[in-house]
Amino acid sequence: MADVRTSAAVNALLLTVCALAASVSTAADCSVSGPKKDCGHAGIGKENCQTNGCCWSPGAAASDVQGGEARCFHPNARASEYELVTTKDTDAGWEGVLRNLTSTQPELGSDITSLIIQADKSLPNIAHISITDLHDTRWRVPESLFPSVDARERGVHSHEAAEYDLKYNSTPFSFSVARANDAGSPALFSTTQQRLIFKDQYIELSTSIDTNSSLFGAQERTASKGLTLQRAGSPLAMWNHDTLSANADTNLYGSHPFVLEVRPDGSSHGVLLLNSNAMEVAISNDTLSWRLTGGMIDLYILMGPTPSAVLEQLTSIIGRPALPPLWSLGFHQCKWGYNSVEELGEVVAKYKAADIPLEVMWTDIDYMDGYRDFSLDPNRFSKDRMQAFVKELHASKQYWVPIVDPGIKVDPGYPAYDQGLAAHAFINDATGQPFLGQVWPGATHFPDFLSKEGVKYWEQQLQAFHELVPYDGLWIDMDEASNFCTGDICHMPPGGFHHLPF
């Protein structure tokens, strides 16, 4: 009887030990540079963290770590695995269906079980690979935004040989892009033994990178350590943010999800992941990871082979830079805080008296009536005085550029507000009503520049404003879109945002 009790006790102890061992995360489960979601509580220590099956990292040097990174976090190094179950040829290349085999990181949501991958090989120097949900439509940056879309479509009829080889492995699925006829060089982009994760609100695509190459891009930010991207593993956020460019190493006004890789021999290629959701890039010594909060994988591998060729290929996709007017290359004067049109005139006159050539005079939001777009302050910048000021500038072959913020004051009786409502020109919230934000004039709505109604409305407002005062250019500000909302007038929809399609 004692032997039975002893045996039972030993078995229970062994089960307990096995359970504890199973819950403790291993090095293979944890990545210091991977996505970190808190696992534990404030003040948790290493032992308790790891006993709970979580990963522990004391953090890198303070200068290399972005604020808010978790020390105790859920296991984050395992990859979802997909299998390529079907393929077929298309006019542009091929497409196939991916089926999920194993999932990872459930705290980030469920993996999408069926994906469609499309490989567009119609251009000889650009490999285009897209991956998205097989059954549900997801957000994709509209091709209509890019003036070069017709040129890309014409590439289907190109008979030039591809400058690259696109290869894939079916199970577990991975793909690579390498230069054609250059078997001795490593691939330009390879997901072999890298993470591919596709959830509703978390997508990750990783590639190996040359340990000795130089990387540039993943902007917009003011880098404290130069233009070359650091390989510290710290995530570089891309989410348009209205913040001063003097703030180093943080996301700024624009997002450019593009990375240029220059290898030691000078050969270069580029990677564009065309996605407008909030995202980040994390770079370690040998891996580059893209992490997206929604949308799809819309990937372009640009073959180069020189940096200038990469940029030529990039702008063939997103559009060429506009040729600026000659006068815009001259000397400009701009300052917030001019109190009247007379003060503007005094500034221009002092430039002339000092024999300093002034090409352009800019005006900040001081000129507006209560910070309403397309209006003039009736006392300090009245219509007749502003028209006379601009006429005098033009007589001297000088130019005027006013600021316009794409945030329309919620103010019944204000023409730009009333006309925007009537035209259904504003961005809507989750309830279908115009989204309510807060900018300089207070409560505001934002024009929807992806809708025909929004574009037409904006053109009409600019035309009417030009008839009021003939400006020569526009300073478009606060269009990230910047929102000062503190929660007093902006409200989360019922149930939060997780039920919305991403």
Side-chain angles (χ1 to χ4, degrees):
M1 190 70 175
D3 290 341
V4 173
R5 287 195 300 268
T6 302
S7 177
V10 170
N11 288 336
L13 177 60
L14 287 174
L15 287 173
T16 301
V17 170
C18 289
L20 286 172
S23 68
V24 176
S25 58
T26 67
D29 299 318
C30 306
S31 172
V32 174
S33 60
K36 299 182 181 71
K37 183 167 183 178
D38 280 312
C39 183
H41 53 79
I44 191 172
K46 178 179 179 180
E47 183 177 352
N48 287 339
C49 174
Q50 293 180 331
T51 300
N52 291 336
C54 302
C55 301
W56 175 263
S57 171
S63 60
D64 293 330
V65 178
Q66 293 191 359
E69 287 194 351
R71 288 191 172 191
C72 182
F73 52 92
H74 286 275
N76 64 347
R78 300 290 184 183
S80 299
E81 289 187 343
Y82 284 86
E83 176 184 21
L84 185 63
V85 292
T86 64
T87 60
K88 67 176 182 180
D89 292 335
T90 64
D91 290 341
W94 58 268
E95 69 178 36
V97 173
L98 298 171
R99 181 179 61 195
N100 184 243
L101 297 177
T102 62
S103 299
T104 189
Q105 293 187 257
E107 71 278 2
L108 298 178
S110 301
D111 292 76
I112 293 178
T113 57
S114 297
L115 304 173
I116 181 171
I117 178 171
Q118 296 175 310
D120 182 345
K121 302 176 65 177
S122 59
L123 293 179
N125 53 10
I126 300 176
H128 181 195
I129 300 162
S130 61
I131 303 176
T132 190
D133 193 317
L134 176 64
H135 301 296
D136 292 329
T137 301
R138 296 178 63 84
W139 170 252
R140 183 176 196 169
V141 178
E143 284 196 321
S144 60
L145 294 178
F146 306 112
S148 57
V149 62
D150 291 338
R152 295 211 304 280
E153 290 176 351
R154 285 198 298 271
V156 172
H157 306 292
S158 172
H159 298 291
E160 297 180 51
E163 299 175 10
Y164 57 87
D165 292 325
L166 171 57
K167 299 180 180 180
Y168 61 82
N169 183 64
S170 296
T171 308
F173 175 75
S174 64
F175 68 90
S176 64
V177 175
R179 296 195 189 281
N181 305 317
D182 194 4
S185 298
L188 306 184
F189 196 98
S190 176
T191 67
T192 303
Q193 297 183 336
Q194 300 290 346
R195 280 164 61 94
L196 170 61
I197 300 174
F198 206 116
K199 301 174 184 288
D200 192 31
Q201 295 183 50
Y202 183 80
I203 302 170
E204 182 175 334
L205 178 69
S206 296
T207 176
S208 54
I209 53 176
D210 190 307
T211 56
N212 296 311
S213 64
S214 298
L215 302 171
F216 305 89
Q219 296 294 321
E220 183 176 51
R221 74 194 69 256
T222 302
S224 62
K225 296 183 179 180
L227 294 178
T228 305
L229 295 175
Q230 303 300 302
R231 302 192 182 209
S234 298
L236 304 173
M238 278 177 276
W239 177 245
N240 298 2
H241 186 208
D242 180 20
T243 189
L244 295 176
S245 57
N247 296 320
D249 303 319
T250 187
N251 44 307
L252 298 178
Y253 307 102
S255 297
H256 304 274
F258 163 75
V259 172
L260 168 68
E261 181 174 349
V262 181
R263 293 188 169 174
D265 63 358
S267 63
S268 306
H269 67 279
V271 178
L272 169 66
L273 208 167
L274 192 57
N275 186 298
S276 59
N277 289 74
M279 71 171 78
E280 62 187 21
V281 169
I283 307 170
S284 65
N285 189 48
D286 59 2
T287 302
L288 186 150
S289 298
W290 300 84
R291 303 169 187 161
L292 321 173
T293 59
M296 61 177 286
I297 295 172
D298 200 2
L299 181 72
Y300 295 82
I301 313 298
L302 316 176
M303 305 308 296
T306 64
S308 59
V310 171
L311 295 181
E312 191 279 332
Q313 292 152 14
L314 173 66
T315 56
S316 75
I317 299 168
I318 64 174
R320 309 292 189 192
L323 183 66
L326 184 61
W327 60 262
S328 69
L329 304 179
F331 192 88
H332 297 236
Q333 170 63 30
C334 177
K335 185 177 79 74
W336 176 76
Y338 290 128
N339 291 315
S340 67
V341 63
E342 285 75 23
E343 189 173 358
L344 296 179
E346 290 173 7
V347 172
V348 174
K350 288 179 180 179
Y351 269 94
K352 183 176 182 180
D355 201 25
I356 299 175
L358 176 65
E359 206 79 40
V360 189
M361 188 68 190
W362 292 43
T363 310
D364 210 321
I365 57 177
D366 316 281
Y367 78 88
M368 298 178 182
D369 181 12
Y371 301 144
R372 296 171 179 84
D373 280 337
F374 318 117
S375 71
L376 298 172
D377 184 291
N379 299 314
R380 299 179 299 119
F381 297 87
S382 63
K383 174 183 173 181
D384 56 341
R385 288 146 63 204
M386 280 300 297
Q387 289 176 340
F389 169 71
V390 173
K391 183 177 181 180
E392 187 174 343
L393 284 178
H394 291 167
S396 302
K397 296 185 178 180
Q398 294 171 300
Y399 303 86
W400 181 56
V401 173
I403 193 171
V404 175
D405 296 339
I408 303 299
K409 182 177 177 63
V410 176
D411 182 18
Y414 164 41
Y417 170 74
D418 293 339
Q419 292 164 15
L421 280 183
H424 304 286
F426 298 131
I427 294 173
N428 289 334
D429 61 20
T431 69
Q433 298 301 310
F435 179 83
L436 193 63
Q438 181 183 0
V439 196
W440 296 117
T444 56
H445 293 328
F446 302 97
D448 183 356
F449 296 118
L450 293 182
S451 72
K452 294 180 180 179
E453 295 80 7
V455 171
K456 183 177 180 181
Y457 160 81
W458 192 248
E459 290 175 345
Q460 291 172 341
Q461 298 303 315
L462 293 178
Q463 178 63 37
F465 187 44
H466 190 268
E467 292 171 0
L468 180 67
V469 186
Y471 57 82
D472 302 289
L474 290 172
W475 170 12
I476 305 297
D477 193 28
M478 313 296 286
D479 61 332
E480 288 74 28
S482 186
N483 186 5
F484 301 162
C485 176
T486 62
D488 294 327
I489 55 174
C490 301
H491 301 282
M492 184 77 74
F497 286 116
H498 10 278
H499 66 289
L500 299 179
F502 289 87

